[in-house]
Amino acid sequence: MATKPDPSATLRGGVPDRYLTPDDIAEIFEVPKETVYAWRKKRIGPPGFRIGKHLRYDPAEVLAHVTHLKNIDREAA
């Protein structure tokens, strides 16, 4: 029986070869999926885009967002 790969492990090893879902983002950041949607509404989380009715995230942009947050945190310290 095949298991679903851990998206956070994929990101640590490199950029995954697929777009991420809100469930993936919630799992990676260990937050509820509702938080992911709230970030999108407030435009404070990683940028997402729609494919029809489906919300997706480019893994490269998610990594860039994390890097940006780390830089802000380092500058504030």
Side-chain angles (χ1 to χ4, degrees), residues 25 40 43-49 55-65:
I25 298 298
R40 179 164 167 80
R43 298 181 186 268
I44 59 173
F49 61 96
L55 180 59
R56 295 294 181 260
Y57 295 85
D58 184 332
E61 290 185 0
V62 172
L63 288 172
H65 179 74

Side-chain angles (χ1 to χ4, degrees), residues 25-26 31-41 44-45 57:
I25 298 298
V31 298
K33 189 164 59 169
E34 293 78 19
T35 300
V36 175
Y37 288 118
W39 288 345
R40 179 164 167 80
K41 185 175 181 179
I44 59 173
Y57 295 85

